[in-house]
Structures are given as C-alpha cells and as structure tokens.
C-alpha cells in the first residue's frame, strides 16, 4: 500500500483494496519526490520558462525537501476525479485511492468534467472538498474523441496490457492526445506555485513534459495504474519513441510491480541506448527515478462500510440480490466490463465446474459498462452476455441460475455486504496493474468482523 505518511496525514493512497498485510512504509516525500529537489520550492513568475537542462548530483546526496514540509501543497492530476460521495459508485480504483488523499491532505485534484468545451483557456474552477479542492475541466470537444476513445483506450490500453490484436485507432489520434495533455497543463499553470505535481495513468503520459515546457519547475511524479509491456510490445504504439522521451521528463515514474519497472527500464536501453543504474535513468534534462509502489486500500475504512446504513434504494438493491442465494454457496466477481478482466474466461470456467458438479455454487458477476463507445468494448459486452445466457440456459433450472449478472455500478458501501456474504471472491484478469477487488474482498471478511456479525 502506498501511504502519504507524515507529510499528508498518513492518508491512504488506494485504488481498490488490500489488507494491512501488504502495507508499505513508503512516504510521498521519500518515495515519490525524494532526491529531486535541491533547496525546496522557489518562487516562480507567470512568465517563467524552463531552465537550462542539467544532470543532477548523485541521487543519494539530494535533500528530501518535500518530506521536511509538513504542509506540502500537492497537485494531483488524472483523467477523471472521484465523485466525493460515498453513496455514488466509484468508476475505478484510481478514484477510490485518491479521494481520501485529497480530502485529508489539502491537495488540489485536477481532472475532466462530463462536459466538453471549446478549448479556450479559463481560470481553474476550484471547488472545496474536505481540506482540498477539485477542479473539473471541460476538455476540448474537438480533441476528446481522439484523445480518449482513440489513442488512450483503443491504442495505449490494449498495448499496455500486451493485447496487440485489440489495438486500433487513426493517425490523428496522437495529435488529439497531445492536444488534450497540453490543455490540461495550461490549466494546471494556475497552481504552479504549489510544491509538487503528481500525475496519474496512461491518459497523461506526456503531461510532465508539457508542465516543464510551460516553465513549471516543481517536482513532477507519475504513477502508472496499468502494467508496462516489453520493448517489442511498446513498438506497436504509434509515436512510442516521442512518448517515452516525454515520460523521462518526470522526476519520478512509479509502477505497480518489479516486472513493470524492469520492462520500462528495458525500453530506454533498447530504443535510446540509455542504461539505467540503480533505478535511475539520466538524460539531458536530468535524472528520472523509477520505483515500485504497490497500490492498496485503507482496509479499516473499507470495513466500516459494513456497519454503514445504506440508502433505501441501495438497501433494496443489495437485499434483492442476496435473496437469490438464500444461504446457498455463491462466488462474487466485481469488474469493469473490460476485456482485460477475463470475465468471458471466468464464465467458461464456471461452465466447466458446474458441468462436473451441478448446482454446487453460483456466481454473482457485477460488471458495469465501460467505454461503451469503443467498438472492442461493444463486442466484448455482447460476447459476455451471450456466454452467460448460454450457461444459464444449459445448466440452470426454473428455481436456480448458475450466474447472476448485474451490468450496473455499486457504491463501495453496497459492495461491502455483498463481499461479506459471498463464500468466494473471484479475480481472474488476463493482465492487471494491481487488482484491488481482491483486497476489498479480504478486508470485508477480516476487518472488524466481530462488530458486524
């Protein structure tokens, strides 16, 4: 688990879950930005431009300036932001991870709104939430399809998960992707006086370079929530060399696992003849540190949902689902409806199990729609629905269904009692960054159990 420790009130960085057993003792100052500051933040003027690139001194000799500031002023940037409402469904692990950080630490979180705009620069629309602020940007309508549906989710997403057969997109998508990143960087210029910038996920790989190009000299960190593939796989991505060069303008690149980190280290070596040493890649700009940060949840906070009163609508939703099982054994799967999650393979496995052991267990599969405007996702949705219908038709009875399928979202408060009632938690991704559903399931079964019996 990544923690903002000391500097940010020990708020938990998360994206789904983990039991306390996997908790890391990393701090945002030491783990994310240590070794990348000299004497601490200095004042900048609006007309500031990047200083001349230079190679920094030995990393071990750098001052951990961020960790020395108890009132660290952080800017978090991601494609989307959390709803900041416990009764509304989270749209992914990133939202679940960062929401408590912003509310407790006083950070500013910048992301997109649900509205598309004209691309004209406007003052950052800061809205208070807890101790922090959220700014939802109306991303330019002209570039958004190519940025989001095109390059991010039809090109990068399958490539990062090493599924090249699912890649698609147009030649113009990369231009739109860079255009949106540039727009977000210009918006973030309004908070250039803050201490550090923390950017999240594959939608914003080049954002750190855009921030530096605008003259923002604060430390910049990036965390990837997906896997990172091998050098030969990244070659399938259009403009992959330019993309990786821009990533090396971050001071820190964070990954979920050692495999992802080592895969990335192999890319500068393969494509630019740049050798990393002790997890550091040195370029003309300076040094980029690579580190592993396994992401997790706050298990105690998640377990508190078990004692939380649900809204009448959610209580009815949960109760009606549990009535389908009436004490019988059932397993639960909770995933976005994404081809990387292996839901179709899971259905196939249950088909084989129930053919050998009829009516031995049911599956409750919760899979809210994801990226419904992307053709690959539309086809996957149809394939999953067809497979479930076939299993239920061939193996079900009038009184019993093998698979109960809910194609909508549930809040974490509603998921907690479902996790607790299930006998098995099923997590079967083809590839994943750091699946947090497994950690949420464990937390629901182990944390504060006596208080919720």
């Amino acid at each position: 688990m990544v923690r903002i420790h000391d500097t940010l009130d020990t708020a938990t960085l998360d994206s789904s879950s983990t039991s306390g057993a996997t908790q890391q003792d990393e701090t945002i100052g030491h783990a994310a930005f240590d070794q990348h500051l000299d004497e601490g933040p200095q004042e900048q003027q609006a007309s500031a431009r990047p200083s001349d690139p230079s190679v920094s001194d030995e990393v071990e000799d750098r001052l951990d300036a961020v960790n020395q500031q108890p009132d660290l002023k952080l800017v978090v940037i991601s494609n989307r932001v959390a709803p900041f409402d416990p009764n509304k469904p989270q749209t992914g692990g990133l939202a679940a991870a960062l929401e408590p950080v912003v509310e407790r630490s006083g950070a500013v979180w910048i992301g997109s709104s649900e509205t598309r705009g004209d691309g004209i620069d406007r003052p950052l629309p800061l809205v208070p939430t807890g101790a922090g602020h959220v700014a939802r940007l109306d991303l330019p309508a002209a570039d958004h399809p190519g940025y989001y549906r095109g390059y991010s989710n039809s090109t990068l997403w399958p490539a990062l998960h090493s599924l090249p057969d699912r890649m698609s997109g147009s030649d113009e998508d990369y231009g739109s992707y860079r255009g949106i990143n540039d727009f977000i960087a210009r918006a973030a210029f309004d908070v250039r006086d803050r201490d550090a910038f923390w950017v999240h996920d594959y939608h914003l790989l080049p954002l750190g370079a855009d921030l530096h190009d605008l003259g923002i000299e604060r430390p910049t960190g990036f965390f990837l929530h997906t896997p990172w593939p091998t050098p030969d796989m990244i070659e399938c991505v259009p403009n992959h060399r330019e993309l990786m060069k821009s990533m090396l303008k971050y001071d820190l690149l964070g990954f979920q696992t050692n495999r992802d980190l080592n895969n990335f280290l192999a890319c500068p070596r393969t494509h630019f003849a740049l050798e990393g040493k002790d997890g550091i890649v040195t370029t003309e700009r300076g040094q980029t540190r690579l580190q592993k940060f396994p992401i997790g949840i706050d298990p105690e906070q998640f377990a508190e949902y078990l004692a939380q009163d649900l809204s009448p609508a959610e209580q009815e939703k949960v109760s009606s689902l549990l009535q389908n099982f009436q004490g019988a054994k059932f397993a639960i799967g909770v995933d976005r409806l994404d081809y990387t999650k292996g839901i179709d393979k899971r259905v196939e496995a249950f088909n084989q199990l129930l053919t050998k052991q009829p009516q031995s267990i049911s599956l409750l599969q919760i899979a809210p729609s994801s990226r419904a405007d992307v053709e690959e996702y539309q086809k996957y949705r149809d394939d999953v629905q067809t497979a479930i219908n076939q299993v239920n038709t061939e193996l079900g009875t009038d009184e019993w269904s093998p698979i109960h399928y809910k194609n909508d979202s549930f809040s974490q408060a509603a998921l907690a009692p479902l996790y607790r009632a299930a006998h098995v938690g099923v997590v079967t991704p083809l590839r994943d960054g750091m699946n947090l559903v497994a950690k949420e399931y464990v937390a629901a079964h182990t944390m504060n159990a006596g208080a919720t019996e």
Side-chain angles (χ1 to χ4, degrees):
M1 176 184 296
V2 181
R3 280 191 179 271
I4 293 188
H5 189 63
D6 296 333
T7 53
L8 292 186
D9 248 357
T10 68
T12 302
L13 287 187
D14 178 20
S15 217
S16 238
S17 354
T18 186
S19 67
T22 62
Q23 179 173 336
Q24 303 282 323
D25 223 355
E26 300 289 346
T27 68
I28 193 61
H30 179 70
F33 295 115
D34 75 327
Q35 328 283 354
H36 292 291
L37 296 177
D38 287 318
E39 298 290 327
Q42 299 181 9
E43 293 302 316
Q44 294 182 338
Q45 302 299 322
S47 60
R49 287 294 176 265
S51 59
D52 293 334
S54 61
V55 178
S56 61
D57 295 330
E58 283 297 318
V59 172
E60 286 71 17
D61 295 332
R62 285 297 191 104
L63 186 63
D64 187 6
V66 172
N67 232 10
Q68 295 178 6
Q69 299 178 69
D71 56 345
L72 174 71
K73 296 184 293 183
L74 190 67
V75 178
V76 178
I77 308 177
S78 63
N79 177 60
R80 289 181 179 168
V81 298
F84 290 93
D85 184 342
N87 294 317
K88 289 186 177 180
Q90 298 283 14
T91 55
L94 185 148
L98 296 183
E99 183 176 305
V101 173
V102 173
E103 288 188 318
R104 298 173 189 174
S105 72
V108 169
W109 189 356
I110 301 172
S112 69
S113 71
E114 297 299 320
T115 303
R116 302 296 156 246
D118 53 18
I120 297 175
D121 293 344
R122 293 180 173 85
L124 198 62
L126 294 173
V127 177
T129 178
H133 289 80
V134 169
R136 293 179 172 88
L137 306 177
D138 298 342
L139 300 184
D143 282 329
H144 191 268
Y147 152 76
Y148 185 76
R149 185 174 65 241
Y151 197 78
S152 291
N153 290 315
S154 295
T155 300
L156 279 177
W157 178 263
L160 293 172
H161 289 84
S162 301
L163 298 170
D165 292 344
R166 293 189 178 271
M167 291 177 64
S168 62
S170 70
D171 294 338
E172 294 77 27
D173 288 345
Y174 183 69
S176 293
Y177 179 79
R178 292 306 302 256
I180 292 287
N181 272 261
D182 180 64
F183 176 83
I184 295 173
R186 296 198 309 271
F189 194 75
D190 283 359
V191 287
R192 61 194 176 277
D193 59 333
R194 287 193 154 237
D195 298 323
F197 288 76
W198 189 21
V199 182
H200 287 262
D201 227 2
Y202 62 101
H203 311 84
L204 305 176
L205 296 177
L207 184 62
D210 292 336
L211 293 172
H212 287 303
D213 288 346
L214 289 172
I216 298 175
E217 292 300 313
R218 298 302 199 241
T220 56
F222 175 85
F223 183 74
L224 184 67
H225 292 253
T226 72
W228 184 269
T230 57
D232 59 336
M233 183 66 242
I234 206 66
E235 285 182 8
C236 299
V237 176
N239 305 97
H240 62 277
R241 288 175 59 87
E242 181 182 348
L243 199 64
M244 286 187 292
K245 285 181 179 179
S246 68
M247 291 178 68
L248 290 173
K249 293 189 178 181
Y250 284 104
D251 296 303
L252 174 87
L253 293 175
F255 300 90
Q256 300 271 18
T257 69
N258 280 328
R259 180 178 61 185
D260 302 321
L261 189 156
N262 290 331
N263 280 347
F264 186 88
L265 269 177
C267 289
R269 182 188 314 124
T270 300
H271 296 288
F272 310 125
L274 286 174
E275 288 288 344
K277 181 181 179 181
D278 298 327
I280 299 167
V281 178
T282 302
T283 64
E284 287 183 349
R285 179 199 69 86
Q287 293 181 336
T288 298
R289 169 180 285 275
L290 278 63
Q291 283 190 243
K292 177 189 72 173
F293 303 100
I295 203 166
I297 63 165
D298 182 340
E300 293 182 357
Q301 181 183 30
F302 189 84
E304 288 176 2
Y305 291 131
L306 291 166
Q308 180 176 313
D309 292 332
L310 300 176
S311 67
E314 280 199 313
Q315 183 61 57
E316 172 60 27
K317 192 176 180 181
V318 170
S319 297
S320 63
L321 273 179
L322 294 178
Q323 286 174 3
N324 292 318
F325 307 105
Q326 296 182 339
K329 184 179 291 186
F330 78 98
I332 186 170
V334 180
D335 313 82
R336 287 186 305 104
L337 190 51
D338 190 293
Y339 51 76
T340 65
K341 300 301 183 181
I343 301 173
D344 53 340
K345 303 299 183 184
R346 182 180 310 166
V347 172
E348 181 181 338
F350 267 81
N351 183 31
Q352 295 182 22
L353 170 65
L354 293 172
T355 299
K356 296 177 181 179
Q357 302 178 36
Q359 300 189 34
S360 57
I361 191 170
S362 297
L363 171 65
L364 169 59
Q365 178 61 58
I366 296 173
S369 294
S370 177
R371 301 163 191 160
D373 56 346
V374 178
E375 184 176 355
E376 281 288 335
Y377 285 77
Q378 296 169 1
K379 183 179 184 301
Y380 188 69
R381 177 196 60 203
D382 295 341
D383 289 346
V384 168
Q385 186 67 68
T386 298
I388 291 174
N389 291 343
Q390 183 175 347
V391 173
N392 284 341
T393 298
E394 293 180 356
L395 301 178
T397 68
D398 292 340
E399 294 79 27
W400 180 80
S401 292
I403 301 176
H404 296 263
Y405 180 47
K406 300 298 291 184
N407 190 214
D408 58 357
S409 299
F410 285 70
S411 69
Q412 288 185 303
L415 284 175
L418 294 174
Y419 285 138
R420 186 61 176 271
H423 299 80
V424 180
V426 186
V427 180
T428 59
L430 303 181
R431 290 176 180 83
D432 222 338
M434 182 66 64
N435 191 290
L436 298 175
V437 169
K439 301 176 181 183
E440 291 172 348
Y441 180 83
V442 171
H445 280 261
T446 61
M447 299 301 298
N448 298 331
T452 57
E453 293 293 347

